[in-house]
Short mmCIF file of all heavy atoms in Angstrom, two decimals:
data_model
loop_
_atom_site.label_atom_id
_atom_site.label_comp_id
_atom_site.label_asym_id
_atom_site.label_seq_id
_atom_site.Cartn_x
_atom_site.Cartn_y
_atom_site.Cartn_z
N LEU A 172 34.66 -92.29 7.81
CA LEU A 172 34.31 -90.89 7.54
C LEU A 172 34.32 -90.07 8.83
O LEU A 172 34.86 -88.96 8.88
CB LEU A 172 32.92 -90.80 6.90
CG LEU A 172 32.75 -91.36 5.48
CD1 LEU A 172 31.27 -91.36 5.09
CD2 LEU A 172 33.54 -90.56 4.46
N MET A 173 33.76 -90.64 9.90
CA MET A 173 33.63 -89.88 11.16
C MET A 173 34.97 -89.68 11.87
O MET A 173 35.11 -88.80 12.70
CB MET A 173 32.62 -90.55 12.08
CG MET A 173 31.18 -90.37 11.58
SD MET A 173 29.96 -91.13 12.67
CE MET A 173 29.89 -89.91 14.01
N ARG A 174 35.94 -90.52 11.55
CA ARG A 174 37.26 -90.32 12.11
C ARG A 174 38.01 -89.17 11.42
O ARG A 174 39.06 -88.74 11.87
CB ARG A 174 38.11 -91.60 12.05
CG ARG A 174 37.72 -92.59 13.12
CD ARG A 174 38.70 -93.72 13.25
NE ARG A 174 38.21 -94.69 14.21
CZ ARG A 174 38.40 -94.60 15.52
NH1 ARG A 174 39.08 -93.62 16.04
NH2 ARG A 174 37.90 -95.52 16.33
N HIS A 175 37.46 -88.73 10.29
CA HIS A 175 38.07 -87.63 9.54
C HIS A 175 37.01 -86.58 9.21
O HIS A 175 36.75 -86.32 8.04
CB HIS A 175 38.70 -88.15 8.24
CG HIS A 175 39.69 -89.25 8.48
ND1 HIS A 175 39.33 -90.57 8.55
CD2 HIS A 175 41.01 -89.21 8.70
CE1 HIS A 175 40.41 -91.30 8.79
NE2 HIS A 175 41.45 -90.51 8.89
N PRO A 176 36.38 -85.97 10.22
CA PRO A 176 35.30 -85.04 9.95
C PRO A 176 35.80 -83.83 9.15
O PRO A 176 36.94 -83.39 9.32
CB PRO A 176 34.82 -84.61 11.35
CG PRO A 176 35.95 -84.94 12.26
CD PRO A 176 36.67 -86.10 11.65
N ASP A 177 34.93 -83.33 8.26
CA ASP A 177 35.22 -82.15 7.44
C ASP A 177 36.46 -82.31 6.57
O ASP A 177 37.07 -81.34 6.16
CB ASP A 177 35.39 -80.89 8.32
CG ASP A 177 34.11 -80.56 9.05
OD1 ASP A 177 33.05 -80.56 8.37
OD2 ASP A 177 34.16 -80.34 10.26
N GLN A 178 36.84 -83.54 6.31
CA GLN A 178 38.02 -83.79 5.50
C GLN A 178 37.55 -84.57 4.27
O GLN A 178 36.84 -85.56 4.41
CB GLN A 178 38.99 -84.62 6.33
CG GLN A 178 40.39 -84.68 5.81
CD GLN A 178 41.25 -85.57 6.72
OE1 GLN A 178 41.15 -85.50 7.94
NE2 GLN A 178 42.05 -86.41 6.12
N THR A 179 37.94 -84.10 3.08
CA THR A 179 37.52 -84.82 1.88
C THR A 179 38.36 -86.07 1.72
O THR A 179 39.59 -86.02 1.74
CB THR A 179 37.68 -83.93 0.63
OG1 THR A 179 36.90 -82.75 0.83
CG2 THR A 179 37.21 -84.64 -0.61
N LEU A 180 37.66 -87.20 1.57
CA LEU A 180 38.36 -88.48 1.41
C LEU A 180 38.09 -88.98 -0.01
O LEU A 180 36.94 -88.99 -0.46
CB LEU A 180 37.84 -89.49 2.44
CG LEU A 180 38.04 -89.04 3.89
CD1 LEU A 180 37.19 -89.87 4.84
CD2 LEU A 180 39.51 -89.13 4.28
N THR A 181 39.15 -89.37 -0.69
CA THR A 181 38.97 -89.86 -2.06
C THR A 181 38.43 -91.28 -2.03
O THR A 181 38.53 -91.98 -1.02
CB THR A 181 40.30 -89.87 -2.84
OG1 THR A 181 41.17 -90.84 -2.22
CG2 THR A 181 40.98 -88.51 -2.80
N LYS A 182 37.89 -91.70 -3.18
CA LYS A 182 37.38 -93.08 -3.26
C LYS A 182 38.51 -94.07 -2.98
O LYS A 182 38.29 -95.10 -2.34
CB LYS A 182 36.80 -93.34 -4.64
CG LYS A 182 35.43 -92.73 -4.83
CD LYS A 182 34.88 -93.14 -6.19
CE LYS A 182 33.67 -92.28 -6.51
NZ LYS A 182 33.17 -92.55 -7.86
N ASP A 183 39.70 -93.77 -3.48
CA ASP A 183 40.83 -94.69 -3.25
C ASP A 183 41.16 -94.79 -1.77
O ASP A 183 41.43 -95.88 -1.27
CB ASP A 183 42.07 -94.21 -4.02
CG ASP A 183 41.97 -94.53 -5.50
OD1 ASP A 183 41.10 -95.34 -5.87
OD2 ASP A 183 42.76 -93.97 -6.28
N GLN A 184 41.15 -93.67 -1.08
CA GLN A 184 41.42 -93.71 0.37
C GLN A 184 40.34 -94.54 1.07
O GLN A 184 40.64 -95.34 1.94
CB GLN A 184 41.40 -92.29 0.96
CG GLN A 184 42.66 -91.51 0.71
CD GLN A 184 42.53 -90.09 1.25
OE1 GLN A 184 41.57 -89.40 0.99
NE2 GLN A 184 43.52 -89.67 2.02
N ILE A 185 39.09 -94.31 0.69
CA ILE A 185 38.00 -95.03 1.33
C ILE A 185 38.15 -96.53 1.07
O ILE A 185 38.08 -97.34 1.99
CB ILE A 185 36.64 -94.50 0.83
CG1 ILE A 185 36.43 -93.07 1.33
CG2 ILE A 185 35.50 -95.40 1.29
CD1 ILE A 185 35.22 -92.36 0.76
N ILE A 186 38.40 -96.88 -0.19
CA ILE A 186 38.53 -98.31 -0.53
C ILE A 186 39.66 -98.94 0.27
O ILE A 186 39.52 -100.01 0.85
CB ILE A 186 38.75 -98.50 -2.04
CG1 ILE A 186 37.45 -98.19 -2.79
CG2 ILE A 186 39.21 -99.92 -2.36
CD1 ILE A 186 37.60 -98.07 -4.28
N SER A 187 40.80 -98.24 0.36
CA SER A 187 41.95 -98.90 1.00
C SER A 187 41.78 -99.00 2.51
O SER A 187 42.46 -99.81 3.14
CB SER A 187 43.26 -98.20 0.63
OG SER A 187 43.32 -96.95 1.22
N HIS A 188 40.85 -98.25 3.12
CA HIS A 188 40.66 -98.40 4.56
C HIS A 188 39.45 -99.24 4.93
O HIS A 188 39.33 -99.69 6.06
CB HIS A 188 40.56 -97.03 5.24
CG HIS A 188 41.89 -96.37 5.37
ND1 HIS A 188 42.70 -96.55 6.46
CD2 HIS A 188 42.57 -95.58 4.51
CE1 HIS A 188 43.82 -95.87 6.27
NE2 HIS A 188 43.77 -95.28 5.10
N VAL A 189 38.54 -99.41 4.00
CA VAL A 189 37.28 -100.07 4.36
C VAL A 189 37.15 -101.47 3.73
O VAL A 189 36.50 -102.33 4.27
CB VAL A 189 36.08 -99.17 3.97
CG1 VAL A 189 34.75 -99.85 4.26
CG2 VAL A 189 36.16 -97.83 4.72
N TRP A 190 37.83 -101.67 2.60
CA TRP A 190 37.76 -102.98 1.95
C TRP A 190 39.12 -103.65 1.98
O TRP A 190 40.16 -102.97 2.00
CB TRP A 190 37.30 -102.83 0.50
CG TRP A 190 35.82 -102.74 0.41
CD1 TRP A 190 34.93 -103.78 0.27
CD2 TRP A 190 35.02 -101.54 0.46
NE1 TRP A 190 33.63 -103.29 0.25
CE2 TRP A 190 33.65 -101.94 0.36
CE3 TRP A 190 35.30 -100.18 0.60
CZ2 TRP A 190 32.60 -101.02 0.39
CZ3 TRP A 190 34.26 -99.28 0.62
CH2 TRP A 190 32.92 -99.69 0.52
N ASN A 191 39.15 -104.97 2.01
CA ASN A 191 40.44 -105.65 2.01
C ASN A 191 40.94 -105.86 0.58
O ASN A 191 40.24 -105.57 -0.39
CB ASN A 191 40.41 -106.94 2.82
CG ASN A 191 39.46 -107.96 2.24
OD1 ASN A 191 39.05 -107.86 1.10
ND2 ASN A 191 39.10 -108.95 3.03
N TYR A 192 42.16 -106.34 0.48
CA TYR A 192 42.87 -106.44 -0.78
C TYR A 192 42.15 -107.34 -1.79
O TYR A 192 42.13 -107.07 -2.98
CB TYR A 192 44.26 -106.99 -0.48
CG TYR A 192 45.24 -106.89 -1.60
CD1 TYR A 192 45.67 -105.65 -2.04
CD2 TYR A 192 45.77 -108.02 -2.19
CE1 TYR A 192 46.58 -105.53 -3.07
CE2 TYR A 192 46.68 -107.93 -3.22
CZ TYR A 192 47.09 -106.68 -3.64
OH TYR A 192 48.00 -106.58 -4.66
N ASP A 193 41.57 -108.43 -1.28
CA ASP A 193 40.94 -109.41 -2.18
C ASP A 193 39.50 -109.04 -2.54
O ASP A 193 38.90 -109.69 -3.39
CB ASP A 193 40.88 -110.79 -1.50
CG ASP A 193 42.25 -111.27 -1.12
OD1 ASP A 193 43.19 -110.98 -1.88
OD2 ASP A 193 42.38 -111.92 -0.06
N ALA A 194 38.95 -108.05 -1.88
CA ALA A 194 37.54 -107.76 -2.09
C ALA A 194 37.29 -107.31 -3.52
O ALA A 194 38.12 -106.66 -4.14
CB ALA A 194 37.08 -106.68 -1.12
N ASP A 195 36.12 -107.70 -4.06
CA ASP A 195 35.75 -107.25 -5.39
C ASP A 195 35.19 -105.84 -5.27
O ASP A 195 34.03 -105.65 -4.97
CB ASP A 195 34.67 -108.17 -5.98
CG ASP A 195 35.26 -109.49 -6.40
OD1 ASP A 195 36.41 -109.49 -6.85
OD2 ASP A 195 34.57 -110.52 -6.26
N VAL A 196 36.04 -104.87 -5.49
CA VAL A 196 35.59 -103.50 -5.36
C VAL A 196 35.48 -102.91 -6.76
O VAL A 196 36.47 -102.73 -7.45
CB VAL A 196 36.56 -102.66 -4.50
CG1 VAL A 196 36.00 -101.27 -4.29
CG2 VAL A 196 36.78 -103.34 -3.16
N LEU A 197 34.26 -102.65 -7.18
CA LEU A 197 34.03 -102.05 -8.49
C LEU A 197 34.14 -100.53 -8.35
O LEU A 197 34.03 -100.00 -7.25
CB LEU A 197 32.64 -102.44 -9.00
CG LEU A 197 32.42 -103.95 -9.13
CD1 LEU A 197 30.97 -104.26 -9.39
CD2 LEU A 197 33.30 -104.51 -10.25
N PRO A 198 34.35 -99.84 -9.50
CA PRO A 198 34.52 -98.38 -9.40
C PRO A 198 33.36 -97.69 -8.68
O PRO A 198 33.56 -96.68 -8.02
CB PRO A 198 34.58 -97.95 -10.87
CG PRO A 198 35.06 -99.14 -11.61
CD PRO A 198 34.53 -100.33 -10.87
N ASN A 199 32.14 -98.24 -8.81
CA ASN A 199 31.02 -97.55 -8.17
C ASN A 199 30.66 -98.10 -6.80
O ASN A 199 29.66 -97.70 -6.21
CB ASN A 199 29.79 -97.54 -9.09
CG ASN A 199 29.19 -98.93 -9.22
OD1 ASN A 199 29.85 -99.92 -8.91
ND2 ASN A 199 27.95 -99.00 -9.66
N THR A 200 31.49 -99.01 -6.28
CA THR A 200 31.16 -99.61 -4.97
C THR A 200 31.03 -98.55 -3.88
O THR A 200 30.10 -98.57 -3.08
CB THR A 200 32.25 -100.64 -4.57
OG1 THR A 200 32.26 -101.66 -5.54
CG2 THR A 200 31.95 -101.24 -3.22
N VAL A 201 31.96 -97.60 -3.87
CA VAL A 201 31.92 -96.57 -2.82
C VAL A 201 30.64 -95.75 -2.95
O VAL A 201 29.93 -95.52 -1.96
CB VAL A 201 33.17 -95.67 -2.89
CG1 VAL A 201 33.06 -94.52 -1.90
CG2 VAL A 201 34.43 -96.48 -2.60
N GLU A 202 30.31 -95.36 -4.20
CA GLU A 202 29.07 -94.60 -4.43
C GLU A 202 27.86 -95.36 -3.91
O GLU A 202 26.97 -94.78 -3.28
CB GLU A 202 28.85 -94.40 -5.93
CG GLU A 202 29.57 -93.23 -6.53
CD GLU A 202 29.63 -93.37 -8.04
OE1 GLU A 202 28.56 -93.36 -8.70
OE2 GLU A 202 30.76 -93.54 -8.55
N VAL A 203 27.84 -96.66 -4.20
CA VAL A 203 26.69 -97.47 -3.78
C VAL A 203 26.57 -97.46 -2.26
O VAL A 203 25.49 -97.23 -1.71
CB VAL A 203 26.85 -98.92 -4.31
CG1 VAL A 203 25.84 -99.85 -3.67
CG2 VAL A 203 26.71 -98.94 -5.83
N TYR A 204 27.68 -97.66 -1.56
CA TYR A 204 27.63 -97.69 -0.09
C TYR A 204 27.35 -96.30 0.50
O TYR A 204 26.68 -96.20 1.52
CB TYR A 204 28.90 -98.32 0.48
CG TYR A 204 28.77 -99.82 0.49
CD1 TYR A 204 29.11 -100.57 -0.63
CD2 TYR A 204 28.25 -100.48 1.60
CE1 TYR A 204 28.96 -101.94 -0.65
CE2 TYR A 204 28.09 -101.85 1.60
CZ TYR A 204 28.45 -102.58 0.47
OH TYR A 204 28.28 -103.93 0.46
N ILE A 205 27.86 -95.27 -0.15
CA ILE A 205 27.53 -93.91 0.30
C ILE A 205 26.01 -93.72 0.19
O ILE A 205 25.36 -93.14 1.08
CB ILE A 205 28.29 -92.85 -0.54
CG1 ILE A 205 29.79 -92.84 -0.19
CG2 ILE A 205 27.67 -91.46 -0.37
CD1 ILE A 205 30.18 -92.14 1.10
N GLY A 206 25.44 -94.25 -0.90
CA GLY A 206 23.98 -94.16 -1.09
C GLY A 206 23.24 -94.87 0.03
O GLY A 206 22.27 -94.35 0.59
N TYR A 207 23.70 -96.07 0.38
CA TYR A 207 23.07 -96.82 1.49
C TYR A 207 23.12 -96.00 2.78
O TYR A 207 22.16 -95.93 3.53
CB TYR A 207 23.80 -98.14 1.76
CG TYR A 207 23.71 -99.18 0.66
CD1 TYR A 207 24.69 -100.18 0.57
CD2 TYR A 207 22.65 -99.19 -0.25
CE1 TYR A 207 24.62 -101.14 -0.43
CE2 TYR A 207 22.59 -100.16 -1.25
CZ TYR A 207 23.57 -101.14 -1.33
OH TYR A 207 23.52 -102.09 -2.30
N LEU A 208 24.29 -95.42 3.03
CA LEU A 208 24.45 -94.63 4.27
C LEU A 208 23.52 -93.42 4.29
O LEU A 208 22.89 -93.13 5.30
CB LEU A 208 25.90 -94.15 4.43
CG LEU A 208 26.88 -95.05 5.15
CD1 LEU A 208 28.20 -94.31 5.34
CD2 LEU A 208 26.36 -95.49 6.52
N ARG A 209 23.45 -92.74 3.15
CA ARG A 209 22.57 -91.56 3.08
C ARG A 209 21.13 -91.93 3.38
O ARG A 209 20.41 -91.21 4.06
CB ARG A 209 22.63 -90.94 1.68
CG ARG A 209 23.86 -90.11 1.48
CD ARG A 209 23.75 -89.29 0.20
NE ARG A 209 24.79 -88.30 0.17
CZ ARG A 209 25.65 -88.15 -0.82
NH1 ARG A 209 25.59 -88.94 -1.89
NH2 ARG A 209 26.57 -87.22 -0.76
N ASN A 210 20.73 -93.11 2.88
CA ASN A 210 19.35 -93.55 3.12
C ASN A 210 19.07 -93.77 4.60
O ASN A 210 17.93 -93.73 5.04
CB ASN A 210 19.07 -94.86 2.37
CG ASN A 210 18.92 -94.61 0.89
OD1 ASN A 210 18.59 -93.49 0.49
ND2 ASN A 210 19.17 -95.61 0.08
N LYS A 211 20.11 -94.04 5.37
CA LYS A 211 19.90 -94.31 6.79
C LYS A 211 20.27 -93.13 7.69
O LYS A 211 19.65 -92.92 8.74
CB LYS A 211 20.74 -95.53 7.21
CG LYS A 211 20.26 -96.80 6.52
CD LYS A 211 21.06 -98.00 6.94
CE LYS A 211 20.48 -99.27 6.30
NZ LYS A 211 21.22 -100.47 6.73
N ILE A 212 21.28 -92.36 7.27
CA ILE A 212 21.81 -91.29 8.13
C ILE A 212 21.14 -89.95 7.83
O ILE A 212 20.89 -89.16 8.73
CB ILE A 212 23.34 -91.13 7.88
CG1 ILE A 212 24.08 -92.41 8.18
CG2 ILE A 212 23.92 -89.96 8.67
CD1 ILE A 212 24.05 -92.84 9.61
#
Side-chain angles (χ1 to χ4, degrees):
L172 292 172
M173 288 181 77
R174 282 192 185 275
H175 305 87
D177 296 313
Q178 195 181 318
T179 302
L180 300 165
T181 66
K182 283 185 193 175
D183 284 346
Q184 281 177 310
I185 292 172
I186 288 168
S187 69
H188 284 271
V189 177
W190 277 271
N191 63 16
Y192 193 66
D193 302 324
D195 286 326
V196 185
L197 301 169
N199 70 343
T200 298
V201 174
E202 276 163 63
V203 169
Y204 276 86
I205 288 282
Y207 293 157
L208 271 187
R209 282 192 167 125
N210 286 336
K211 294 181 176 182
I212 301 295

